[in-house]
Amino acid sequence: MTDENFMREALRIARNAEGRTSPNPLVGAVVVREGKIIAEGWHRRAGTPHAEVHALNMAGELSKGATLYVTLEPCSHFGRTPPCARAIVDAGITRVVAAMTDPNPQVAGRGFDILRAAGIQVEVGLLEAEARRLNEVFLKWVTRKLPFVTLKFACSLDGKIATVGGESQWISGIESRTFTHHLRDINDAILVGVGTVLADNPSLTTRLVEGKNPVRVIVDSNARTPLDATVVTDKSARTIIAVTSNAPAEKLSELAACGVETICAGGGKRVDLEILMRELASRELTSVLVEGGGTIHFAMLNAGLVDKVFAFVAPKIIGGANALTAVAGAGFERLSDAARLKDLTTTRLGDDILISGYVEA
């Protein structure tokens, strides 16, 4: 096996904890001796041992003279756990192959400095593009102080998300809906507009046996969310309601008494979505799934806040000039202004087609 094979294994096992390590990155580590993998480890959750420590503990004395493959630079600082770079030195590892440098200012090359100072051979950059894609959420959060935002919608072939009579369940098939719950499971937060709450009274939870519920974020400028709405009463997940300074103080007090947190994001008629995203990031919510209606979808795209899109397209034609569309709002006036996707992938999910891609800057 080659260095690339071992690094691909480290990248593969890192995904075992997808959606569980926030605000930490996904990291995988593999210990190799005499051309064979003798131990593996991945970071499981913030506050628990890092991938390197799991792998080194598994390898034990066999770590002496071995090579460690790791998807991200070993940490050099005391955070929730001790520094991994020092643990690698103490274990007797003689060579470290890392996919990329950690952009976290608390690390940013210092981990490699510790290793090199101890005489360990360090190589950086193997499968770096794959490692960056693995940790696209963490990289945006730690460098830009913004969450990674994914926009998801299900629509007909003609772009409708409901009939002219308002019927929307179900446009997509069971396979697409199951994948949607996977997206909820791996994101820190799910965001909708108050219109979705008023129309559908959703729970915005994950229907997977071992899934976790994201924090529910409601964009509600004037605090119109009813006190008997499911997102207020069910206590299945934390709920944050984003308002403006125009929201009635009495209603905010009532929401607080129900255990709902409110964020004041701007003083205009509408919530300032960039302010809201920065507030969510400051609360260590590193990823946000936008799953609302056409108005909030356009607002997020128009603000340049969406990173990735998942569009589930069902083989149905609904029609209707007044039927709701996946992206509404004012719309882009010129094609040159339209949001454009790159790095596209298409996947068959039952009878539906999932189109996913990244929004060009």
Side-chain angles (χ1 to χ4, degrees):
M1 293 180 72
T2 65
D3 284 347
E4 183 173 319
N5 293 137
F6 295 131
M7 186 61 77
R8 288 198 183 280
E9 175 63 7
L11 290 165
R12 183 190 70 80
I13 63 175
R15 287 199 178 275
N16 287 339
E18 188 175 20
R20 300 296 184 269
T21 63
S22 181
N24 289 354
L26 292 165
V27 183
V30 172
V31 180
V32 174
R33 188 181 181 92
E34 297 177 356
K36 296 182 180 179
I37 295 175
I38 61 171
E40 296 183 340
W42 62 89
H43 183 42
R44 288 162 169 78
R45 191 179 300 273
T48 66
H50 290 183
E52 301 94 320
V53 173
H54 282 297
L56 295 173
N57 287 343
M58 180 182 290
E61 290 298 313
L62 293 177
S63 294
K64 290 184 170 60
T67 297
L68 175 72
Y69 295 82
V70 63
T71 57
L72 186 68
E73 176 185 2
C75 65
S76 57
H77 63 291
F78 282 89
R80 292 181 172 103
T81 59
C84 292
R86 182 53 56 192
I88 294 169
V89 173
D90 294 342
I93 292 288
T94 55
R95 177 176 175 242
V96 171
V97 181
M100 61 176 289
T101 301
D102 190 338
N104 185 342
Q106 292 181 298
V107 186
R110 295 183 182 89
F112 293 143
D113 291 342
I114 291 173
L115 300 179
R116 292 189 177 104
I120 295 174
Q121 179 184 348
V122 177
E123 300 168 26
V124 185
L126 180 63
L127 300 183
E128 181 172 353
E130 289 88 339
R132 287 187 170 277
R133 182 58 55 87
L134 170 73
N135 273 311
E136 57 193 7
V137 169
F138 171 75
L139 294 178
K140 183 182 181 185
W141 178 74
V142 80
T143 60
R144 298 177 57 192
K145 306 303 180 187
L146 285 168
F148 187 91
V149 177
T150 299
L151 171 62
K152 171 266 166 185
F153 57 83
C155 66
S156 62
L157 282 173
D158 53 340
K160 305 299 184 180
I161 61 173
T163 68
V164 69
E167 184 181 353
S168 61
Q169 297 182 349
W170 296 100
I171 288 177
S172 59
I174 183 63
E175 295 87 353
S176 294
R177 299 199 297 275
T178 299
F179 190 86
T180 292
H181 287 292
H182 166 70
L183 292 177
R184 291 183 180 186
D185 173 57
I186 65 174
N187 277 272
D188 291 344
I190 180 170
L191 182 147
V192 301
V194 67
T196 296
V197 174
L198 295 173
D200 302 332
N201 192 26
S203 61
L204 305 179
T205 53
T206 302
R207 315 306 201 268
L208 299 178
V209 175
E210 296 183 357
K212 70 170 179 59
N213 291 329
V215 175
R216 301 173 293 199
V217 180
I218 315 301
V219 178
D220 183 6
S221 300
N222 295 307
R224 293 189 293 147
T225 299
L227 296 179
D228 61 354
T230 299
V231 293
V232 174
T233 63
D234 71 352
K235 311 304 179 186
S236 296
R238 176 178 163 201
T239 297
I240 296 173
I241 296 181
V243 301
T244 69
S245 58
N246 297 319
E250 182 179 352
K251 182 63 176 293
L252 299 183
S253 297
E254 292 172 338
L255 288 168
C258 294
V260 173
E261 178 184 357
T262 57
I263 293 176
C264 183
K269 292 182 178 180
R270 295 182 177 87
V271 165
D272 186 312
L273 294 171
E274 182 169 352
I275 291 176
L276 173 59
M277 291 301 109
R278 294 197 179 279
E279 287 290 334
L280 296 179
S282 72
R283 289 160 171 78
E284 297 189 344
L285 297 173
T286 65
S287 56
V288 175
L289 176 66
V290 180
E291 195 183 327
T295 300
I296 192 68
H297 292 174
F298 176 74
M300 291 292 292
L301 286 166
N302 193 42
L305 295 170
V306 177
D307 298 290
K308 191 173 186 178
V309 173
F310 282 96
F312 300 82
V313 183
K316 301 173 183 176
I317 299 174
I318 295 174
N322 295 322
L324 297 175
T325 58
V327 181
F332 296 106
E333 289 189 7
R334 298 177 298 178
L335 284 176
S336 59
D337 294 331
R340 184 177 178 84
L341 302 187
K342 61 181 180 180
D343 300 337
L344 292 175
T345 60
T346 58
T347 307
R348 181 77 176 264
L349 293 173
D351 290 334
D352 302 336
I353 299 295
L354 168 60
I355 302 172
S356 62
Y358 294 84
V359 179
E360 289 187 346

